[in-house]
């Protein structure tokens, strides 16, 4: 019999949004796989150090170095490269060297990803769809990266074209709401009210919402009402809200 709670399905990964802003990430290697890893961590605002002999750099990695988007050391990996590093990504065609790097990272408790060697990975890279603040990752837990890419494309094709822009606007509204209702005990009400906005407003209306519309909409937070965008704009004929719910 099934229990009242979700059944445990072992063998998965804990999928997280890892915040690496301003963290030091070491990338060992300069080929195509390294290029993809570099883009991933630069998009997350990490500080990247690439270690690889110059003759092994592909055009994209060489471009990142030339544009000073990453720091660079022109040689093979040395153990001292791990000093002060928060994360290590290796992408070299040398299994023995990769294993040695992983062992050193393990000793120093530095999380590492060894490309194409799942048993020597503390975390995996999935196939990611990006649209502004929206990120969707599909992981096969190292079983089939190509299949992850196929699934990711299918998911992306089913999303509305304006979903990223709508999320951006909701983020702005949410930050404004925290200024209106900053107290910790208001957290549940804030979340409930924001949920109602997301559920009741069409994506097009969310995208069309201006800063002025947001200020008026926030006037409905205290009475816990969710007007439509049309109602919001009828409340601001002169660009300022004069209705009964002004905070």
């Amino acid at each position: 019999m099934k229990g009242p709670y979700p059944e445990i399905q072992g063998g998965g990964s804990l999928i997280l949004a890892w915040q690496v802003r301003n963290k030091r990430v070491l990338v060992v290697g300069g080929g195509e796989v390294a290029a993809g890893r570099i883009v991933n961590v630069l998009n997350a605002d990490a500080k990247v150090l690439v270690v690889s002999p110059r003759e092994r750099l592909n055009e994209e990695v060489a471009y990142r170095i030339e544009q000073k988007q990453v720091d660079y050391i022109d040689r093979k990996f040395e153990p001292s490269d791990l000093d002060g590093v928060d994360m290590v990504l290796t992408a070299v065609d040398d299994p023995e060297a990769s294993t040695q790097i992983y062992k050193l990272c393990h000793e120093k408790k530095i999380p590492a990803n060894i490309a194409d060697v799942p048993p020597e990975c503390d975390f995996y890279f999935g196939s990611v769809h990006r649209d502004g603040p929206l990120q969707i990752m599909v992981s096969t837990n190292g079983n089939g990266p190509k299949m992850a890419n196929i699934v990711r494309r299918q998911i992306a094709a089913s999303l509305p074209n304006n979903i990223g822009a709508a999320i951006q606007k909701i983020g702005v509204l949410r930050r404004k709401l925290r200024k209106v209702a900053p107290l910790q005990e208001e957290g549940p009400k804030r979340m409930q009210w924001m949920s109602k906005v997301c559920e009741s407003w069409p994506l097009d209306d969310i995208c069309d919402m201006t800063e002025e519309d947001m200020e008026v909409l926030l006037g409905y937070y205290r009475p816990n009402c969710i007007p439509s965008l049309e109602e919001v704009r009828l409340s601001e004929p002169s660009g300022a809200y004069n209705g009964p719910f002004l905070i």
Side-chain angles (χ1 to χ4, degrees):
M1 291 181 62
K2 290 188 176 181
Y5 306 109
E7 293 188 18
I8 304 302
Q9 301 181 47
S13 298
L14 181 62
I15 297 180
L16 304 170
W18 198 337
Q19 300 298 308
V20 295
R21 179 187 296 273
N22 294 325
K23 300 290 187 180
R24 294 288 297 177
V25 177
L26 171 65
V27 177
V28 182
E32 182 179 353
V33 174
R37 298 291 194 256
I38 290 169
V39 170
N40 286 331
V41 289
L42 284 179
N43 282 340
D45 300 321
K47 296 179 179 178
V48 181
L49 169 64
V50 176
V51 174
S52 173
R54 186 167 295 275
E55 64 269 17
R56 297 184 183 179
L57 300 179
N58 77 354
E59 291 184 2
E60 181 177 349
V61 177
Y63 172 82
R64 305 289 176 198
I65 295 169
E66 180 184 345
Q67 296 297 311
K68 300 189 184 305
Q69 296 176 356
V70 300
D71 295 328
Y72 174 60
I73 299 177
D74 179 8
R75 58 165 168 72
K76 290 185 177 182
F77 169 84
E78 294 181 1
S80 60
D81 294 333
L82 297 179
D83 294 344
V85 165
D86 299 296
M87 177 188 291
V88 173
L89 314 174
T90 75
V92 294
D93 296 326
D94 187 337
E96 185 176 340
S98 294
T99 295
Q100 184 60 33
I101 294 171
Y102 177 73
K103 290 179 179 179
L104 289 171
C105 290
H106 187 72
E107 291 174 4
K108 293 177 175 290
K109 295 182 169 52
I110 301 172
N113 175 277
I114 311 302
D116 294 327
V117 189
E120 295 182 351
C121 290
D122 295 310
F123 56 92
Y124 301 124
F125 282 87
S127 184
V128 177
H129 170 71
R130 178 77 183 271
D131 183 358
L134 175 66
Q135 290 180 270
I136 299 173
M137 188 186 88
V138 178
S139 173
T140 60
N141 288 296
N143 287 283
K146 183 59 180 179
M147 287 301 299
N149 189 40
I150 292 171
V151 173
R152 186 262 302 165
R153 290 202 305 268
Q154 291 179 348
I155 292 173
S158 70
L159 295 173
N161 291 331
N162 57 355
I163 187 66
I167 293 171
Q168 188 82 45
K169 288 291 181 74
I170 287 296
V172 175
L173 179 64
R174 185 167 175 262
R175 289 188 288 275
K176 286 179 176 291
L177 176 58
R178 291 190 70 89
K179 293 180 180 179
V180 169
L183 298 179
Q184 184 174 352
E185 54 265 31
E186 294 216 54
K189 182 181 178 181
R190 284 197 307 265
M191 289 188 291
Q192 182 186 54
W193 190 80
M194 285 298 307
S195 294
K196 288 180 180 178
V197 173
C198 294
E199 292 167 359
S200 61
W201 278 38
L203 287 179
D204 286 341
D205 285 357
I206 293 175
C207 291
D208 289 342
M209 182 170 48
T210 65
E211 294 271 345
E212 291 77 12
D213 295 332
M214 292 181 191
E215 296 300 332
V216 175
L217 178 58
L218 290 170
Y220 291 84
Y221 168 71
R222 293 297 180 195
N224 201 23
C225 297
I226 307 295
S228 66
L229 179 59
E230 181 181 4
E231 290 169 334
V232 164
R233 289 180 174 172
L234 286 173
S235 300
E236 50 173 339
S238 61
Y241 176 58
N242 299 310
F245 301 135
L246 184 63
I247 297 176

